[in-house]
């Protein structure tokens, strides 16, 4: 059997601000219908990675190298008008902050319909009916009346549902969700994640879920990629990963997240001593300054991602030591 | 330490902060200093009394070295007029700004610090003054007495303070919750002391930037008033020079153009100064460049 | 539907403001040298001390100040601003005769300033940091610093004296007795230079405002959302960007209307425009205090009324205010 090509493939992607590289060459593959989690502490470059896929970077930021392969095209160099045909149609994006990601002066129905009208030859009336179906699908009650309402009439959770309706409006093959539940109440978070999972299987849509919530990773995705200081340090299928992560940073993450259940907040990360900025000016492994197993060799060159099991890659010189029973791994 | 001292990168620290090294800003400061010197030493710089007939009428600029900027219909020296006129213009601009700054700060400080009813009433008063067209109010006040520089300055100050009041109110509103104010209150300092000694010094930078706009405004209003011939007929100002040139505007247009250029340069410099200082105080307001 | 409600609400809010303005006018009236009787007798030649006293009693000038004030307030709220000594006619009539000309000038200048200010500011924001922006920023700072009467004179020098494109003054060709379309174009022709002179300063203000508002809006998350849908950048600029940026611009535009009226007084003088500006100057020369105060009061009312309209416009632009 010929393996199907992946939906999206990032090849050595580099993104940065002038004089400040943030994403330092990451490789990531997302298969058809697969749900991949990108995990890492805040500031490590997750959002920048997500934005660079559709070239929606902040003004000063640039893709400085690498490729973004979607449908046989390199999105990093695709002409703008062709890229616009992929935005919203092939790949859709959901942002973290539902309070600010909808335009406050336009009715929500119109904002969803915009996406449909842009990519499909539909009359305004037909588009409106589609939007009402979509709003119903994402669980917004009375969609017909809500169609003409404005974002300020909705709660955060409801706004995020509107965002989801907008994102799935044109049946995209890939949905990028940048911390879609971080800004929501804990009780609503699970509902929204359930909805996303449900939609992914209904529409056979792949999803790149960006999060710093390992609990969400375990519950709602198929594969995880752990990011640290602009590099992917470990990528593995969910089951073996949660049975025993191999990178010391993943182990630390897991450690700090287990004690308060699946809901894990970023400040718990400080239990791994130091922070992401101690990576500044590090020539070798960016995690070395905080790593309990760091050896002098770790500080020379960054470790490459190496096969460490079936579909399992780890970037660590001290993998063997990390896998040995240690205080870090034992508490898991 | 010794390493630091020999570091060549250490030297730029002695220079102006980066935001002030903008050439436009430097130019603006130079222009303002120049105008200030001109006003202070007007008597020494101006060759003639600007009200005396000293030369042939309607000399064009650069035609006769003894009247470098030409003469008007009565043979009065335009260069002397511009130099002497800077006095009245700047005097009114600054003193009206000081008055406006004082009224505005008092009103804004009280409104912002006490809030509640005081705030509501004082902001009403501010709104009243903001609703009345500034220049009309000035004109009506001028009708009270004989035109003189103090009356003009007072009328402009009375009409222009609301902007400062709003600024001061916003500053006091946010500063009254600051830690050091809380501490002062906990120590039982009297309210007057808290307002004057604790909050005011911190609000002052913003207010002074606001006052630079007020000076610019004052100069523009003064020139309008004296252009309309409502000023003291015995005092030359840039506005009155422009007004004087009006009757020959189709032929000897330099008579109005040159004093106008002086006004524009001065006001422009003040505005550049104000813009730059605002950027420094509030870096988010400008674009990143 | 919202207009009536907005008007009612704002009118109630404006009532104390109006009251305060009347109080200030009343104080100014009493600070001015001489009273109405002095003025009248001054006009009609010598009057004896007795007749003047009789007139004072007849005009109620001997009543206590509070009584006079109440009468004054009642007068203003019934649009009775007293008599003009200079024109021997009710102040309201005198003003109303000149008001249309001033309103025409102001309205033209306002529309001109707002539309070109928004376009220029938008261009500055789109090209922020590049030379187009630098050039327009410098230009608007220059306009922002120039006295409007001087701009008017310079416009006259170039467009009227040199190029002979437009008339330098007046509102119509004197003695031409034009009809219909010709009358209209003649008017328009006379309107061009004064409205440009009046608009110049405000173009700069609105352009700077629009630029700042646009830059702020373009940073917002919902702009990224709009791009993520694959919309055309122009559509995003207008439907998502400008729509939002217009809210602060319109709000502030309302605050500047009073200034524009003040500016009109001077510009009218420059262009011999037969409006309130010239009336003001004549009233001042003749010490026609009632007319002066009437102009101040009526123009304040005009500012309040336009602010109601602006409020309504803003609530129409911003659904968050509407509900
Ligand atoms: N204008 C800028 N110049 C340089 N660095 C920036 C700028 N804006 C953001 N950054 C850096 O880029 C990173 C942003 O990463 P991001 O992708 O937002 O992280 P997250 O993983 O939290 O989504 C942060 O480390 C931040 O410090
Ligand atoms: Mg992020």
């Amino acid at each position: 059997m010929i393996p199907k090509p992946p939906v999206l493939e990032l090849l050595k992607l580099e993104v940065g601000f002038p004089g400040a590289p943030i994403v330092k060459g990451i490789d990531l593959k997302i298969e058809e219908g697969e749900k991949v989690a990108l995990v890492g502490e805040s500031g490590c470059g997750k959002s920048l990675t997500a934005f660079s896929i559709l070239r929606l970077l902040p003004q000063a930021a640039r893709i400085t190298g690498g490729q973004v392969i979607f449908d046989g095209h390199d999105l990093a160099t695709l002409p703008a008008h062709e890229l616009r045909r992929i935005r919203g149609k092939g790949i859709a994006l959901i942002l973290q902050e539902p309070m600010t990601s909808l335009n406050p002066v336009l009715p929500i129905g119109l904002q969803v319909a915009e996406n449909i009208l842009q990519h499909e030859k539909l009359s305004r009336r037909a588009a409106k009916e589609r939007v009402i179906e979509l709003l119903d699908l994402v669980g917004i009650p009375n969609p017909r009346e809500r169609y003409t309402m404005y974002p300020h009439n909705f709660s955060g959770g409801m706004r995020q549902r509107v965002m989801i309706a907008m994102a799935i409006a044109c049946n995209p093959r890939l949905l990028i969700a940048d911390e879609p539940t971080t800004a929501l109440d804990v009780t609503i978070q699970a509902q929204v994640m359930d909805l996303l999972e449900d939609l992914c299987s209904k529409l056979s849509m792949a999803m790149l879920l960006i999060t710093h919530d390992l609990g969400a990773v375990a519950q709602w995705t198929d594969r995880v990629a752990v990011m640290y200081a602009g590099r992917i340090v470990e990528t593995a299928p969910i089951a073996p990963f949660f049975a025993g992560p191999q990178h010391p940073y993943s182990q630390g993450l897991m450690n700090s997240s287990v004690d308060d259940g699946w809901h894990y907040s970023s400040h718990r990360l400080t239990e791994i001593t130091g922070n992401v900025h101690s990576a500044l000016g590090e020539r070798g492994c960016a995690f070395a300054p905080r790593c309990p197993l760091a050896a002098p060799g770790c500080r020379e060159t960054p470790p490459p991602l190496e096969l460490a099991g079936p579909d399992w890659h780890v970037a660590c010189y001290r993998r063997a030591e990390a896998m040995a029973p240690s205080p870090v791994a034992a508490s898991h | 330490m010794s390493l630091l001292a020999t570091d060549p990168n250490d030297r730029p620290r002695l220079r102006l902060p980066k935001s002030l090294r903008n050439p436009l800003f430097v130019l603006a400061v130079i222009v303002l200093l120049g105008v200030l010197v001109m006003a202070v030493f007007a008597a020494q710089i101006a060759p003639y009394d600007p009200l005396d007939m000293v030369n042939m009428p309607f000399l064009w600029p650069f035609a006769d070295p003894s009247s470098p900027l030409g003469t008007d219909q009565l043979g009065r020296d335009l260069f002397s007029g511009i130099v002497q006129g800077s006095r009245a213009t700047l005097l009114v601009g600054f003193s009206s700004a000081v008055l406006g700054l004082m009224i505005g700060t008092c009103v804004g400080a009280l409104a912002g610090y006490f809030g509640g009813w005081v705030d509501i009433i004082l902001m009403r008063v501010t709104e009243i003054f903001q609703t009345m067209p500034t220049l009309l109010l000035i004109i009506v006040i001028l009708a009270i007495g004989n035109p003189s520089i103090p009356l003009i300055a007072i009328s402009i100050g009375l009409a222009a303070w609301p902007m400062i009041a709003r600024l001061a109110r916003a500053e006091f509103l946010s500063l009254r919750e600051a830690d050091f104010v809380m501490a002062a209150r906990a120590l039982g300092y009297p309210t007057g002391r808290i307002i004057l000694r604790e909050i005011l010094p911190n609000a002052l930078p913003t207010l002074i930037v606001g006052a630079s706009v007020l000076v610019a405004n004052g100069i523009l209003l003064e020139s309008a008033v004296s252009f309309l011939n409502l000023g003291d007929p015995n005092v030359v100002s840039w506005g009155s020079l422009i007004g004087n040139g009006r009757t020959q505007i189709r032929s000897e247009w330099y008579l109005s153009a040159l004093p106008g250029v002086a006004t524009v340069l001065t006001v422009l410099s003040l505005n550049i100064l104000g813009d730059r200082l605002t950027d420094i105080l509030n870096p988010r307001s400008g674009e990143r460049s | 539907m919202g207009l009536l409600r907005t008007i009612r609400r704002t009118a109630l809010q404006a009532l104390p403001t109006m009251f305060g303005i009347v109080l200030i006018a009343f104080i100014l009236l009493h600070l001015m040298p001489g009273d109405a009787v002095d003025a009248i007798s001054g006009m009609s030649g010598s009057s004896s001390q007795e007749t003047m006293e009789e007139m004072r009693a007849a005009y109620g000038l001997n009543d206590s100040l509070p009584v006079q004030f109440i009468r004054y307030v009642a007068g203003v709220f019934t649009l009775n601003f007293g008599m003009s000594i200079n024109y021997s006619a009710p102040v309201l009539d005198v003003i109303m005769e000149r008001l249309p000309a001033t309103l025409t000038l102001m309205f033209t200048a306002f529309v001109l300033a707002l539309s070109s200010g928004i376009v220029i500011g938008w261009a500055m924001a789109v090209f922020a940091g590049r030379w187009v922006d630098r050039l327009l920023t410098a230009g608007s700072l220059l306009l922002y610093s120039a006295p409007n009467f001087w701009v008017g004179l310079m416009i006259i020098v170039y467009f009227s004296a040199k190029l002979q494109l437009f008339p330098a003054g007046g509102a119509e060709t004197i003695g031409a007795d034009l009809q219909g379309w010709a009358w209209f174009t003649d008017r328009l022709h006379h309107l061009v230079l004064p409205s440009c002179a009046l608009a110049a300063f405000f173009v700069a203000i609105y352009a700077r405002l629009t630029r700042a508002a646009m830059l702020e809006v373009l940073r917002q998350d919902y702009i990224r959302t709009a791009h993520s849908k694959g919309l055309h950048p122009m559509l995003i600029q207008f439907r998502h960007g400008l729509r939002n940026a217009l809210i602060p611009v319109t709000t502030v535009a309302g605050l500047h209307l009073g200034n524009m009226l003040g500016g009109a007084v001077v510009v009218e003088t420059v262009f011999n425009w037969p409006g309130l500006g010239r009336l003001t100057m004549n009233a001042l020369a003749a010490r026609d205090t009632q007319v002066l105060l009437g102009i101040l009061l009526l123009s304040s009312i005009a500012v309040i009324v336009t602010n109601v309209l602006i409020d309504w416009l803003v609530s129409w632009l911003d659904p968050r205010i509407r509900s």
Side-chain angles (χ1 to χ4, degrees):
Chain A
M1 205 175 96
I2 309 157
K4 276 203 288 181
V7 185
L8 181 82
E9 197 168 8
L10 306 183
L11 297 170
K12 297 262 162 294
L13 180 68
E14 291 173 23
V15 187
F17 293 91
I22 304 286
V23 178
K24 297 159 190 159
I26 68 174
D27 294 287
L28 187 68
K29 209 185 281 183
I30 300 174
E31 306 288 340
E32 206 74 58
E34 191 187 25
K35 288 170 293 202
V36 176
L38 186 60
V39 200
E41 61 200 300
S42 122
C44 73
K46 305 184 299 291
S47 296
L48 236 39
T49 308
F51 295 156
S52 64
I53 294 171
L54 283 173
R55 298 218 314 251
L56 293 170
L57 291 168
Q59 277 231 312
R62 294 277 177 279
I63 297 179
T64 49
Q67 291 179 308
V68 179
I69 307 295
F70 177 84
D71 226 2
H73 302 291
D74 177 11
L75 302 191
T77 54
L78 201 65
H81 65 277
E82 283 177 46
L83 180 66
R84 285 205 287 113
R85 259 184 261 146
I86 291 171
R87 288 177 178 170
K89 171 106 181 112
I91 304 177
L93 179 68
I94 297 174
L95 299 177
Q96 170 175 356
E97 192 44 78
M99 300 318 257
T100 57
S101 47
L102 286 168
N103 189 330
V105 303
L106 297 180
I108 55 120
L110 175 69
Q111 297 190 53
V112 180
E114 264 187 335
N115 199 3
I116 301 170
L117 291 168
Q118 178 68 34
H119 298 289
E120 284 166 36
K121 286 208 173 349
L122 268 184
S123 70
R124 280 191 162 258
R125 179 168 309 159
K128 177 171 178 176
E129 290 308 314
R130 264 281 286 287
V131 172
I132 289 170
E133 279 168 32
L134 281 165
L135 293 178
D136 192 41
L137 183 66
V138 298
I140 291 176
N142 300 329
R144 200 166 288 277
E145 284 123 67
R146 300 288 180 96
Y147 184 93
T148 50
M149 290 193 179
Y150 292 88
H152 69 271
N153 300 124
F154 292 77
S155 67
M158 282 293 153
R159 289 189 207 193
Q160 205 58 308
R161 283 172 196 267
V162 173
M163 282 297 290
I164 293 172
M166 185 190 296
I168 62 167
C170 295
N171 275 332
R173 287 169 61 202
L174 172 66
L175 179 66
I176 303 173
D178 184 4
E179 311 204 22
T181 60
T182 311
L184 304 179
D185 282 350
V186 184
T187 47
I188 312 224
Q189 289 185 351
Q191 290 174 16
V192 170
M193 282 314 302
D194 279 334
L195 172 67
L196 279 176
E197 182 184 42
D198 186 38
L199 290 170
C200 278
S201 52
K202 262 194 200 143
L203 307 170
S204 53
M205 183 168 62
M207 175 161 74
L208 176 62
L209 176 70
I210 292 174
T211 180
H212 56 221
D213 178 354
L214 269 187
V217 175
Q219 208 167 337
W220 282 292
T221 60
D222 307 323
R223 203 150 58 83
V224 60
V226 179
M227 192 166 178
Y228 186 80
R231 287 203 174 83
I232 288 186
V233 294
E234 178 161 11
T235 156
I238 287 299
F241 180 82
F242 277 88
Q246 298 196 20
H247 195 282
Y249 175 63
S250 315
Q251 293 172 347
L253 266 185
M254 190 87 85
N255 236 21
S256 55
S257 70
V258 275
D259 21 314
D260 62 343
W262 62 268
H263 179 247
Y264 138 84
S265 50
S266 63
H267 68 262
R268 309 281 311 177
L269 259 182
T270 50
E271 287 186 3
I272 309 176
T273 50
N275 61 48
V276 84
H277 296 296
S278 36
L280 280 175
E282 193 62 36
R283 273 186 302 133
C285 173
F287 188 57
R290 295 164 73 183
C291 183
L293 302 171
C298 294
R299 305 210 157 196
E300 301 293 313
T301 45
L305 270 177
E306 283 168 348
L307 200 63
D311 199 17
W312 192 341
H313 299 261
V314 179
C316 180
Y317 295 125
R318 312 268 299 162
R319 208 173 64 213
E321 288 82 348
M323 285 308 284
S326 75
V328 180
S331 71
H332 161 58
Chain B
M1 280 311 285
S2 60
L3 227 171
L4 251 178
T6 54
D7 187 353
N9 290 331
D10 200 30
R11 299 198 64 198
R13 283 195 207 166
L14 299 173
R15 281 201 253 147
L16 282 168
K18 186 159 175 246
S19 41
L20 294 184
R21 259 184 274 142
N22 176 308
L24 263 186
F25 176 79
V26 175
L27 214 65
V29 171
I30 292 174
V31 168
L32 287 178
L33 287 178
V35 174
L36 211 61
V37 168
M38 189 160 93
V40 171
F41 298 103
Q44 284 75 40
I45 296 173
Y48 311 106
D49 183 331
L51 295 174
D52 276 356
M53 300 168 221
V54 294
N55 220 326
M56 278 175 19
F58 293 136
L59 271 180
W60 274 72
F62 315 121
D64 181 341
S66 65
S67 280
L69 296 183
T71 57
D72 70 357
Q73 64 272 39
L74 295 176
R76 296 176 293 198
D77 183 41
L78 186 56
F79 175 67
S80 303
I82 290 179
V83 171
Q84 291 278 6
S86 67
R87 296 190 87 125
T89 304
L90 288 195
L91 196 62
V92 173
F94 278 103
S95 48
S96 68
V98 169
L99 183 64
L101 191 62
M102 283 183 340
I103 304 177
T105 306
C106 285
V107 172
L110 295 177
Y113 187 82
F114 290 109
W117 278 107
V118 180
D119 185 28
I120 291 174
I121 291 173
L122 287 178
M123 280 301 106
R124 268 289 173 201
V125 175
T126 311
E127 197 185 314
I128 288 168
F129 274 85
Q130 225 163 16
T131 305
M132 287 186 285
T134 316
L135 193 64
L136 279 178
L137 181 60
I138 291 170
I139 289 176
V140 174
I141 296 176
L142 284 177
I144 293 175
N146 287 321
S148 66
I149 286 191
L151 185 64
I152 294 174
I154 289 173
S155 63
I156 294 175
L158 277 178
W161 58 267
M163 180 203 108
I164 295 289
R166 290 192 184 278
L167 270 182
R169 175 177 177 267
E171 284 290 300
F172 271 71
L173 259 181
S174 63
L175 284 172
R176 75 168 177 195
E177 309 294 346
D179 289 339
F180 63 90
V181 177
M182 292 301 182
R185 232 181 273 166
L187 287 175
Y189 286 168
T191 309
R193 192 201 139 117
I194 295 178
I195 291 180
L196 289 177
R197 302 273 294 273
E198 308 291 334
I199 306 186
L200 191 59
N202 286 288
L204 220 49
T206 311
L207 295 179
I208 295 207
V209 172
S212 75
V213 177
L214 218 52
V215 177
N217 228 356
I219 290 178
L220 286 181
L221 286 169
E222 189 279 337
S223 65
V225 164
S226 44
F227 171 78
L228 292 173
N229 249 330
L230 304 178
D232 185 340
N234 299 314
V235 175
V236 175
S237 88
W238 290 342
S240 69
L241 288 174
I242 300 175
N244 177 48
R246 230 188 106 194
T247 39
Q248 293 81 233
I249 191 67
R250 295 185 150 263
S251 43
E252 280 76 29
W253 51 267
Y254 64 90
L255 285 175
S256 288
L258 294 178
V261 169
T263 316
V264 173
L265 278 181
T266 309
V267 175
L268 184 65
S269 302
L270 280 164
N271 284 329
I272 291 174
L273 195 77
D275 271 12
R276 279 272 111 193
L277 293 179
T278 311
D279 284 353
I280 293 163
L281 286 182
N282 178 17
R284 237 181 71 79
S285 75
E287 102 276 18
R288 1 160 221 218
S289 53
Chain C
M1 51 133 212
L3 182 57
L4 268 179
R5 231 183 42 214
T6 318
I7 288 179
R8 195 146 23 96
R9 197 196 56 217
T10 332
L12 280 178
Q13 267 177 12
L15 215 60
T17 309
M18 200 53 229
F19 194 77
I21 292 172
V22 176
L23 178 62
I24 289 172
F26 183 76
I27 294 171
L28 288 170
L29 181 66
H30 280 265
L31 284 176
M32 288 190 193
D35 57 22
V37 171
D38 285 330
I40 292 171
S41 58
M43 298 298 287
S44 60
S46 57
S47 308
S48 74
Q49 207 61 34
E50 279 138 55
T51 42
M52 280 173 73
E53 276 313 311
E54 276 167 30
M55 279 166 78
R56 286 213 166 84
Y59 281 114
L61 293 179
N62 293 333
D63 298 341
S64 68
L65 279 183
V67 172
Q68 288 195 45
F69 178 61
I70 290 168
R71 199 181 304 124
Y72 192 71
V73 172
V76 170
F77 281 92
T78 53
L79 292 182
N80 175 9
F81 299 99
M83 292 289 285
S84 157
I85 45 162
N86 199 12
Y87 297 90
S88 310
V91 167
L92 187 67
D93 295 357
V94 174
I95 292 177
M96 280 305 165
E97 201 180 312
R98 311 294 198 289
L99 194 61
T102 297
L103 287 185
T104 311
L105 178 60
M106 270 190 63
F107 181 75
T108 317
F110 183 69
V111 171
L112 197 69
L114 197 57
S115 52
S116 49
I118 287 172
V119 171
I120 292 171
W122 175 74
M124 292 189 333
V126 170
F127 297 103
R130 286 190 261 168
W131 68 266
V132 178
D133 176 37
R134 301 247 163 96
L135 202 74
L136 289 174
T137 303
S140 62
L141 206 56
L142 204 65
L143 279 188
Y144 185 62
S145 308
N148 53 13
F149 55 90
W150 184 73
V151 172
L153 288 173
M154 295 302 112
I155 289 181
I156 290 178
V157 169
Y158 194 72
F159 291 96
S160 179
K162 188 158 194 295
L163 299 183
Q164 311 233 320
L165 281 178
F166 298 100
E172 59 192 330
T173 309
I174 308 285
D177 195 24
L178 298 165
Q179 298 297 326
W181 183 247
W183 174 86
F184 179 75
T185 50
D186 180 56
R187 286 278 174 149
L188 210 60
H189 203 213
H190 282 81
L191 191 57
V192 173
L193 294 190
S195 50
C196 285
L198 182 55
F201 179 78
F202 299 92
V203 170
I205 290 190
Y206 299 151
R208 285 158 61 96
L209 266 172
T210 308
R211 179 183 187 275
M214 233 5 227
L215 284 179
E216 183 62 34
V217 167
L218 291 179
R219 271 204 284 269
Q220 300 297 313
D221 282 347
Y222 54 77
I223 297 295
R224 177 172 281 133
T225 306
H227 279 292
S228 82
K229 288 184 267 191
L231 303 183
H232 194 279
M234 265 310 175
L235 183 74
I236 296 175
Q237 288 279 346
F238 283 99
R239 192 190 281 169
H240 293 269
L242 204 55
R243 246 323 280 285
N244 278 286
L246 280 183
I247 295 170
V249 173
T250 316
T251 310
V252 179
L255 293 180
H256 284 285
L257 277 169
N259 284 338
M260 192 174 254
L261 225 156
V265 171
V266 199
V267 170
E268 283 184 10
T269 317
V270 174
F271 288 92
N272 282 319
W273 192 259
L276 286 185
R278 219 156 74 194
L279 182 65
T280 309
M281 299 324 297
N282 291 343
L284 199 61
R287 298 243 159 216
D288 198 346
T289 40
Q290 301 281 4
V291 170
L292 274 183
L293 290 173
I295 292 172
L296 184 65
L297 286 169
L298 264 182
S299 48
S300 304
I301 294 176
V303 170
I304 291 175
V305 169
T306 25
N307 272 326
V308 174
L309 292 176
I310 295 274
D311 270 4
W312 177 68
L313 200 65
V314 169
S315 75
W316 178 75
L317 284 172
D318 189 350
R320 285 162 294 187
I321 296 179
R322 225 177 300 160
S323 54

